[in-house]
Amino acid sequence: MTNWIQRLKALLDAILGLVNTAEATGPYSYLDDGLEQDVYEDTAVTRRRIWLEFSNRNMTQIGTFKIYRKVDGANYDLYVTQAVTIGAGDDRAWDAEFTTNQAWKLTYEEGADEGAARDIPFNVITQVIE
């Protein structure tokens, strides 16, 4: 009987994992204004696992991606930065994985004038674990 219960629990956990996930995809159109812009913002406050992928494949100038997280429910703190370059052979895509129960956001700021609006591809997978 215990084996049957364990299999049922595993099946229910697998179903909940599928039900409690969401996906958001871009692109985000980065407006050519020289300022830091929010590419994606998640304001949920349930505990969740985040898988984030983002790319500067369409950018022609250097820049910086930043991930901010709210640590006190009100103010964003800088969590991580990713400087981006555009030379031949340079990395053009990155990912991040983290767990949070606070709002967070991904931003981008051009380091030199892009000269036009450009799309920033991104993909966010969220799994609620609360």
Side-chain angles (χ1 to χ4, degrees), residues 22-26 40 42 50-53 104 122-126:
E23 183 175 16
T25 59
Y40 181 82
D42 178 351
I50 309 295
W51 292 271
L52 170 63
E53 301 167 356
W104 67 274
F122 70 88
N123 185 44
V124 179
I125 298 173
T126 304

Side-chain angles (χ1 to χ4, degrees), residues 46-64:
T46 55
R47 188 175 319 130
R48 60 215 182 280
R49 189 85 178 139
I50 309 295
W51 292 271
L52 170 63
E53 301 167 356
F54 49 98
S55 171
N56 76 326
R57 68 181 314 205
N58 297 317
M59 304 316 241
T60 62
Q61 303 296 323
I62 62 170
T64 305

Side-chain angles (χ1 to χ4, degrees), residues 89-110:
D90 289 352
D91 291 343
R92 298 300 292 247
W94 299 269
D95 60 11
E97 183 178 332
F98 55 95
T99 302
T100 187
N101 65 342
Q102 298 292 327
W104 67 274
K105 64 182 178 178
L106 171 69
T107 69
Y108 185 78
E109 184 174 14
E110 63 188 5

